């Protein structure tokens, strides 16, 4: 069997070439990592009412259990990508998964809100180290064209379905055990990945030189955290709150400093040349807006089912299966559709279905229930996301130089995580503001207002998809 030999200044690593069973196991370790990291962003959703009751979170404050994770994840992704360039992306994946597993243990053992939020922050930071290596390892391990597209279709299917599966798994673990098991479930998965990755994934070339962009990481992460905090604070207290206004001002200053810093440092976190490609820049924007809309839809749908309809965590989890199944099947069909119709047409159909689903749920009323109010939205969004994510991955990775693969992958996932975190905080703000002004059924009024803004995000994403240009045919074959 042939081997790839990867050399750097200190070591030589021999790993079987990615073919046959080795290719399958290498891809399994890569997508397993992605599944664990994405699942953790949603598996906690169903457990939130139990966490809130046990640890004393307020209704709007509960969103911090999600936001601390996504903020650390999104804010440090680009720094994690840079570290992967230095130490090798396989090594970064293994280190990140190891740290994530340990942080999951701490989260499951937490007995107060502060400890849980700290553990969630460490989970996000560890995820930021591991995640950029997933797509980057696919880009460097599988040849561009049909081979890479097949790997991307599996990656996209697992990534998309992982969000919905997380809700189902979260319901099962919470109902059969307790909310603590949504953290403990990561332990066996993490151990398996740490054992598999060194054996079946080849190490990448290590790019020495340059310094860590610590200033960029600090200003970017703290700036986004201040912005999210400001929106959530407004949702709790209103727009006249001094602390919220101060946080908005702090966020503007920090994010401005981040942008200035990125134009001056030798090795910036954001590789600006990635945005010189029009398609890639548009695809990144679509990822940001789509995540902003979808995170809010999951969050408020879960709250509607549990706190409004009285669903148990288990029943709530199973209620999201109609999202996971269609999404997974659509993502698996996507490579064939791409080869026949092109990435732009497939993404347009997928994004259009997502918009229809997002608009449908804006009509939610107190009398609708699950079958009429939630189910159609889940099916439409499931198919829509399955036909949107892989074409967008194709646009983003097409033509990327190997030295930029980690940065492109990290920026893609940064857009998803930051978009989800910022989008959720904005929607929570809208929910809190509207619900305070309606004494008759405040939840429905607040949730439908949030769903309406979510539909706006998704509609703008569709307009950007329509602006994409069809990539060269060889990328799809």
């Amino acid at each position: 069997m042939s081997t790839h030999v990867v050399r750097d200044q200190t070591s030589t690593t021999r790993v079987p070439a990615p073919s046959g069973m080795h290719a399958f196991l290498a891809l399994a370790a890569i997508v397993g990592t992605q599944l664990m990291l994405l699942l953790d962003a949603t598996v906690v959703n169903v457990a939130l009412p139990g966490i809130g009751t046990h640890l004393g979170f307020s209704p709007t404050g509960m969103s911090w259990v999600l936001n601390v994770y996504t903020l650390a994840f999104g804010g440090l992704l680009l720094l994690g990508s840079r570290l992967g360039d230095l130490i090798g992306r396989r090594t970064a994946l293994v280190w990140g998964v190891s740290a994530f597993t340990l942080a999951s243990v701490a989260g499951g053992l937490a007995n107060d809100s502060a400890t849980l939020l700290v553990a969630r922050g460490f989970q996000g930071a560890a995820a930021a180290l591991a995640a950029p290596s997933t797509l980057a390892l696919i880009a460097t391990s599988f040849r561009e064209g049909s081979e890479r597209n097949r790997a991307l279709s599996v990656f996209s299917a697992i990534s998309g379905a992982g969000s919905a599966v997380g809700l189902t798994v979260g319901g099962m673990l919470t109902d059969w055990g307790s909310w603590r098991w949504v953290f403990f479930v990561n332990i066996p998965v993490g151990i398996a990945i740490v054992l598999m990755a060194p054996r079946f994934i080849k190490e990448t070339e290590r790019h020495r030189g340059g310094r860590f962009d610590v200033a960029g990481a600090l200003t970017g992460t703290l700036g986004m955290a201040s912005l999210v905090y400001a929106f959530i604070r407004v949702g709790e207290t209103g727009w006249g709150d001094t602390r919220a206004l101060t946080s908005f001002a702090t966020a503007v200053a920090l994010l401005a400093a981040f942008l200035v810093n990125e134009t001056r440092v030798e090795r910036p976190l954001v590789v600006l040349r990635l945005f010189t490609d029009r398609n890639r820049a548009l695809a990144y924007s679509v990822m940001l807006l789509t995540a902003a809309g979808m995170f809010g839809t999951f969050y408020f749908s879960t709250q509607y089912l549990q706190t409004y309809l009285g669903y148990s965590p288990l029943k709530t989890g199973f209620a999201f299966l109609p999202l996971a199944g269609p999404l997974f099947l659509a993502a698996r069909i996507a490579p064939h559709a791409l080869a026949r119709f092109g990435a732009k047409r497939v993404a347009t159909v997928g994004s259009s279905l997502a918009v229809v689903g997002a608009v449908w749920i804006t009509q939610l009323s107190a009398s609708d229930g699950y079958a009429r109010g939630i189910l159609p939205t889940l099916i439409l969004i499931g198919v829509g996301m399955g036909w949107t994510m892989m074409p967008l991955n194709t646009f983003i990775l097409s033509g990327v130089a190997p030295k930029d693969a980690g940065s492109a992958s990290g920026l893609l996932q940064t857009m998803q995580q930051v978009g989800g975190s910022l989008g959720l905080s904005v929607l929570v703000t809208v929910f809190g503001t509207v619900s305070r002004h309606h004494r008759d059924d405040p939840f429905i009024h607040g949730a439908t207002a949030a769903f309406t803004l979510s539909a706006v995000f998704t509609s703008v994403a569709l307009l950007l998809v329509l602006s994409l240009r069809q990539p060269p045919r060889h990328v799809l074959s």
Side-chain angles (χ1 to χ4, degrees), residues 105-324:
V105 174
L109 296 175
N111 285 316
D112 57 76
S113 58
T115 302
L116 179 62
L117 293 180
V118 169
R120 290 291 282 166
F122 276 108
Q123 276 188 309
L129 177 58
S133 295
T134 54
L135 270 178
L137 287 169
I138 287 179
T140 56
S141 300
F142 297 91
R143 288 187 299 271
E144 187 169 17
S146 60
E147 180 179 305
R148 184 185 296 176
N149 282 344
R150 284 194 295 270
L152 281 174
S153 73
V154 175
F155 181 88
S156 299
I158 295 297
S159 297
S163 299
V165 169
L167 295 168
T168 304
V169 171
M172 295 169 63
L173 294 171
T174 303
D175 208 58
W176 293 346
S178 76
W179 62 264
R180 298 183 185 279
W181 283 99
V182 302
F183 297 100
F184 292 150
V185 71
N186 294 322
I187 299 173
V189 179
I191 292 173
I193 292 170
V194 168
L195 293 176
M196 289 174 61
R199 183 173 182 182
F200 299 110
I201 300 175
K202 69 183 181 70
E203 184 60 282
T204 60
E205 181 182 354
R206 300 169 187 178
H207 302 282
R208 307 291 187 182
R211 297 179 179 179
F212 280 116
D213 184 10
V214 176
L218 290 176
T219 54
T221 303
L222 293 177
M224 286 304 305
S226 297
L227 188 59
V228 169
Y229 174 78
F231 277 117
I232 293 176
R233 181 75 182 178
V234 167
E236 292 178 332
T237 63
W239 286 96
D241 183 74
T242 303
R243 190 179 298 178
L245 296 177
T246 301
S247 295
F248 276 123
T250 302
V252 171
L254 287 170
L255 293 176
F258 171 77
L259 292 176
V260 171
N261 177 79
E262 296 307 281
T263 64
R264 296 180 176 180
V265 296
E266 178 186 357
R267 296 296 297 268
L269 292 181
V270 178
V271 180
L272 296 179
R273 62 176 171 270
L274 292 173
F275 291 96
T276 59
D277 182 280
R278 180 177 179 274
N279 274 352
R280 189 176 299 118
L282 287 171
Y284 279 138
S285 300
V286 173
M287 285 286 191
L288 181 79
L289 290 166
T290 301
M294 293 305 100
F295 269 59
T297 299
F298 292 159
Y299 180 81
F300 289 107
S301 296
T302 302
Q303 300 302 308
Y304 175 78
L305 293 174
Q306 287 192 273
T307 63
Y308 197 85
L309 298 185
Y311 277 27
S312 68
L314 180 62
K315 190 174 181 180
T316 300
F318 279 108
F320 280 90
L321 283 178
L323 171 69

Side-chain angles (χ1 to χ4, degrees), residues 72 89 98 114 138 356 366 445:
R89 294 181 184 121
S98 300
I138 287 179
V356 174
H445 285 290

